[in-house]
Amino acid sequence: MDHTVSKIMSKDYQMKAAINQKLIEMGERERLKELLRAKLVESGWKDQLKAHCKDVIREKGLEHVTVEDLVTEVTPKGRALVPDSVKKELLQRIRAFLAQHAAL
Amino acid sequence: MSPAGCPHVGGWKADGWRQNLRLIYRCFVWSGSAETRTRKAKSCVCHACGAHLSRLHSCLSCVFFACFAKKHIHEHARSKRHHLAVDLLYGGIYCFLCQDYVYDKEMEQIAKEEQKKAWKMQGVGEKFSSWEPSKREVELLRHNPKRRRITTNCTIGLRGLINLGNTCFMNCIVQALTHTPLLRDFFLSDRHKCEMASSSCLVCEMSQLFQEFYSGRRSPHVPFRLLHLVWTHARHLAGYEQQDAHEFLIAALDVLHRHCRDDDGKRTSNPNHCTCIIDQIFTGGLQSDVTCQVCHGVSTTIDPFWDISLDLPGSSTPFWPLSPGGEVSVLNGEGHGGGATTLTDCLRRFTRPEHLGSSAKIKCSGCHSYQESTKQLTMKKLPVVACFHLKRFEHSAKLRRKISTYVSFPLELDMTPFMASSKEKRMNGQHQQSADAFCSDNRYSLFAVVNHQGTLESGHYTTFIRQHKDQWFKCDDAVITKASLKEVLDSEGYLLFYHKQLLEYE
């Protein structure tokens, strides 16, 4: 890999790790999780995914399906189905949090 | 995927495993305190590659965190022969030999307890967790394999009641009660444990009634046992004359409340703080503020209530004028055209400041003398089920008559303007924005309407009840017919039952 690219990547990565740490420490990560959970239920996302999971289980057979199977099959669809409005709102919250705790 | 976990969990459960597991959950999965959160933030990274967001797992046999996505934890499991790991995000236990998440009852129990503790510490409080049957319940379900499916068209819960001789006053209330969702859930899940020695427990009879209504039988039920119990416990309602449905409601709630309290010895020692199902559902708190006109000192009392009795225009006590604030009617979606009285008008009148005349002076503790005062009623605490009683029967010294004035009532009702807290806000100069009102948790939905047709001397009670969110049925003793929402809202209305839309944990 190109030296400069890996440098940028690791800096980006360091920042992500630092932000994540701060979020956990201040308990904000848990609050954001709760907000996200509520929004995903409200928008019907949870029901859509649940139905999809049931389909996968039916396909693979209840006795043979593993959690890994479900994760592999359901993750891409789950990611794609998150409404843009929800993504926007979460992003706004994180930005606001970072603005408040600017000493990063 | 058996609930006994996988065969490898047993081997892992060495002495003190419970403590170790709790520690792991408390420190690295559900960190409640600030201290554990900091530790979690700093130490939860993959020991192999330093990643922090790729489904980290913690080994259950040694201090080792690694990511799942890149299989680093799998390598550790293989090389060290540590077969179990816990998912730091969701707390699930993974077995590398079974190659799947496993569910051990004991470990699940510990996980749940630690999660609840963390939520409490974070101030999140109690969260919803779905129902899981107990051993006894699983047994019962196995012995009783017949199941009922509730579809939008099914009529389960609807059953007529035979009139045993002017007993429509009782029948109409029974219909309203058997269609009160929380009450129905309480009785159908067998929550009443009777400790009354005799067979005259009204709560048991109610339980039986719910069984009859939800049995699926379509022939009308004959409530002779209920009638007999009512006569036994509420003598003033005995006899074959027509009685007042509202009186019956209050008497029934009172007897049920007393019989519920007899269950638990502890409760009877504190009559003001009952936790029986009747109090949980029907009891609200009515705040009465008496303001001295001289020193402006306020004396406040809060009394429990099961219903709100509202005066109507056309009675001998004057109804209009009301206090200012005409925007409240619009809030509840009622028109004010043509001077038709609305339920909100009645509530505004009920909660208006009333000047107690010079003939009714109250002793003021501030002035130490008798002064003129104003009295105002507001809702301190709203019940889950709010019952409004429109006072249609006038029993004054001069006349006995029925007031048939039409009062329009809404399908959805917002009680915010009538709350004690709203009054305080208004007095402190905080203007109640209309957006605010819709966000509050004081919204109620109509689910039953008891109507009286006829005159004071000879009349008949019927009930409209709500089923499956938007279907209405008219219950006329033994005859149940489908009704339209328009019919319900156009009816005269005597007793109006509203159910809170959002329920909260205590």
Side-chain angles (χ1 to χ4, degrees):
Chain A
M1 209 184 277
D2 184 41
H3 230 66
T4 35
V5 176
S6 67
K7 227 201 219 163
I8 294 167
M9 274 190 71
S10 81
K11 226 185 174 178
D12 192 41
Y13 199 80
Q14 269 176 20
M15 172 151 277
K16 268 196 191 156
I19 295 175
N20 188 49
Q21 242 186 283
K22 201 75 190 196
L23 285 171
I24 297 177
E25 263 179 60
M26 312 286 304
E28 181 70 6
R29 191 158 203 268
E30 284 305 311
R31 285 190 283 273
L32 286 170
K33 250 170 66 172
E34 274 321 295
L35 176 67
L36 180 61
R37 194 169 281 143
K39 293 279 160 190
L40 289 175
V41 168
E42 252 179 62
S43 64
W45 178 94
K46 185 178 176 184
D47 293 325
Q48 279 178 297
L49 263 281
K50 197 170 177 187
H52 191 210
C53 285
K54 283 189 179 165
D55 288 338
V56 174
I57 293 172
R58 231 171 272 141
E59 222 184 274
K60 304 257 170 177
L62 184 58
E63 294 305 315
H64 304 112
V65 71
T66 65
V67 177
E68 270 322 286
D69 289 334
L70 282 172
V71 172
T72 321
E73 295 277 343
V74 170
T75 305
K77 188 158 191 194
R79 287 223 163 96
L81 284 176
V82 178
D84 280 335
S85 56
V86 176
K87 288 186 192 165
K88 238 175 155 177
E89 185 161 356
L90 261 292
L91 210 61
Q92 253 171 9
R93 273 286 286 263
I94 296 173
R95 278 210 187 96
F97 173 80
L98 292 177
Q100 253 194 321
H101 302 92
L104 263 175
Chain B
M1 280 200 256
S2 93
C6 70
H8 314 110
V9 166
W12 175 84
K13 286 182 181 175
D15 271 335
W17 70 267
R18 283 190 184 81
Q19 268 308 98
N20 291 339
L21 192 63
R22 275 192 200 280
L23 214 68
I24 295 177
Y25 275 118
R26 207 173 294 164
C27 296
F28 305 115
V29 186
W30 291 303
S31 319
S33 69
E35 182 198 329
T36 48
R37 276 206 303 269
T38 319
R39 192 183 311 135
K40 174 176 166 140
K42 294 231 158 67
S43 56
C44 286
V45 284
C46 176
H47 286 196
C49 68
H52 64 274
L53 280 178
S54 36
R55 285 176 67 196
L56 282 177
H57 281 61
S58 164
C59 175
L60 281 185
S61 307
C62 69
V63 181
F64 192 84
F65 304 125
C67 42
F68 194 93
K70 295 181 210 155
K71 302 266 190 251
H72 294 154
I73 190 84
H74 297 69
E75 266 190 52
H76 171 85
R78 199 173 28 236
S79 58
K80 294 280 170 129
R81 303 220 193 155
H82 292 170
H83 306 302
L84 298 172
V86 62
D87 179 346
L88 294 185
L89 208 55
Y90 297 110
I93 309 279
Y94 192 86
C95 173
F96 292 93
L97 294 172
C98 296
Q99 289 192 17
D100 197 5
Y101 285 93
V102 294
Y103 308 96
D104 176 85
K105 256 221 147 125
E106 292 182 297
M107 294 170 99
E108 294 262 293
Q109 182 63 26
I110 290 174
K112 272 201 193 107
E113 283 167 20
E114 290 306 315
Q115 192 174 37
K116 274 203 170 134
K117 278 190 211 161
W119 280 340
K120 218 173 173 182
M121 268 198 266
Q122 287 164 3
V124 174
E126 202 72 52
K127 273 208 250 189
F128 168 76
S129 53
S130 50
W131 169 77
E132 263 162 59
S134 66
K135 243 181 170 172
R136 168 104 180 99
E137 280 161 352
V138 171
E139 227 183 278
L140 283 170
L141 285 168
R142 213 171 276 144
H143 285 281
N144 296 285
K146 187 171 179 194
R147 303 277 178 268
R148 277 189 205 289
R149 281 206 115 200
I150 312 289
T151 58
T152 40
N153 287 330
C154 81
T155 53
I156 196 142
L158 289 175
R159 220 173 151 191
L161 288 163
I162 297 286
N163 189 318
L164 297 166
N166 277 328
T167 58
C168 55
F169 73 94
M170 179 180 80
N171 289 350
C172 69
I173 298 298
V174 170
Q175 293 290 0
L177 291 178
T178 50
H179 290 92
T180 301
L182 281 188
L183 205 59
R184 174 201 64 203
D185 292 349
F186 176 83
F187 282 109
L188 288 182
S189 43
D190 245 346
R191 299 281 292 275
H192 171 59
K193 304 278 182 278
C194 194
E195 275 164 48
M196 266 182 99
S198 63
S199 60
S200 64
C201 174
L202 191 64
V203 190
C204 283
E205 182 52 36
M206 267 260 97
S207 191
Q208 263 306 103
L209 216 63
F210 275 92
Q211 291 296 322
E212 289 288 341
F213 267 73
Y214 288 87
S215 62
R217 283 191 277 276
R218 298 168 71 103
S219 58
H221 174 65
V222 188
F224 65 89
R225 228 182 6 240
L226 177 68
L227 187 65
H228 176 74
L229 279 177
V230 168
W231 283 357
T232 313
H233 294 292
R235 293 282 157 80
H236 61 288
L237 291 173
Y240 278 107
E241 308 172 341
Q242 177 70 279
Q243 305 288 350
D244 184 346
H246 173 246
E247 269 207 64
F248 176 76
L249 172 69
I250 300 303
L253 289 178
D254 184 52
V255 178
L256 287 169
H257 161 71
R258 275 189 280 130
H259 287 187
C260 276
R261 269 172 51 187
D262 284 355
D263 285 349
D264 190 43
K266 290 182 267 173
R267 282 203 284 266
T268 50
S269 63
N270 191 349
N272 291 326
H273 188 63
C274 180
T275 51
C276 72
I277 189 68
I278 300 298
D279 272 329
Q280 280 181 54
I281 298 179
F282 294 98
T283 304
L286 190 64
Q287 180 166 320
S288 170
D289 296 313
V290 176
T291 311
C292 171
Q293 289 302 93
V294 174
C295 70
H296 298 289
V298 185
S299 153
T300 305
T301 50
I302 299 173
D303 290 308
F305 71 86
W306 277 331
D307 69 316
I308 299 285
S309 289
L310 300 167
D311 287 314
L312 299 180
S315 67
S316 41
T317 46
F319 189 81
W320 306 99
L322 297 170
S323 46
E327 73 279 0
V328 174
S329 283
V330 180
L331 206 66
N332 280 315
E334 298 160 4
H336 211 79
T341 318
T342 64
L343 177 66
T344 320
D345 288 333
C346 296
L347 283 168
R348 271 171 52 212
R349 185 183 179 280
F350 185 75
T351 54
R352 84 202 183 296
E354 190 186 342
H355 189 88
L356 302 174
S358 45
S359 53
K361 285 188 182 168
I362 306 268
K363 179 141 193 216
C364 174
S365 51
C367 304
H368 301 292
S369 59
Y370 284 88
Q371 302 291 358
E372 287 192 23
S373 52
T374 53
K375 174 175 147 179
Q376 188 174 18
L377 295 172
T378 46
M379 313 281 174
K380 177 71 181 169
K381 171 184 174 266
L382 289 172
V384 173
V385 170
C387 172
F388 298 109
H389 167 224
L390 301 178
K391 288 159 83 172
R392 293 196 176 281
F393 300 121
E394 181 133 15
H395 294 282
S396 65
K398 301 175 205 166
L399 31 78
R400 291 180 72 228
R401 63 185 175 116
K402 179 183 172 188
I403 302 163
S404 296
T405 320
Y406 175 67
V407 176
S408 89
F409 46 89
L411 184 61
E412 314 272 301
L413 176 67
D414 190 338
M415 292 292 289
T416 313
F418 314 110
M419 302 287 293
S421 51
S422 302
K423 176 190 155 200
E424 271 160 46
K425 279 205 191 118
R426 277 199 293 271
M427 282 170 53
N428 293 339
Q430 287 162 277
H431 180 65
Q432 183 101 43
Q433 288 132 339
S434 47
D436 238 346
F438 284 111
C439 295
S440 70
D441 286 343
N442 299 318
R443 288 171 295 170
Y444 283 76
S445 285
L446 186 69
F447 74 93
V449 179
V450 170
N451 281 304
H452 178 270
Q453 289 128 281
T455 63
L456 206 69
E457 291 78 34
S458 76
H460 181 57
Y461 286 103
T462 56
T463 310
F464 284 111
I465 50 109
R466 189 175 186 176
Q467 184 107 313
H468 301 310
K469 191 157 192 199
D470 53 6
Q471 289 177 35
W472 288 86
F473 292 88
K474 181 174 185 179
C475 305
D476 185 346
D477 283 332
V479 180
I480 313 279
T481 44
K482 196 148 200 324
S484 69
L485 179 60
K486 188 175 189 308
E487 258 182 86
V488 179
L489 297 180
D490 283 347
S491 66
E492 202 175 72
Y494 176 53
L495 296 173
L496 309 170
F497 291 85
Y498 284 85
H499 199 292
K500 205 162 194 261
Q501 282 181 19
L502 289 176
L503 302 177
E504 292 129 13
Y505 287 104
E506 287 278 297

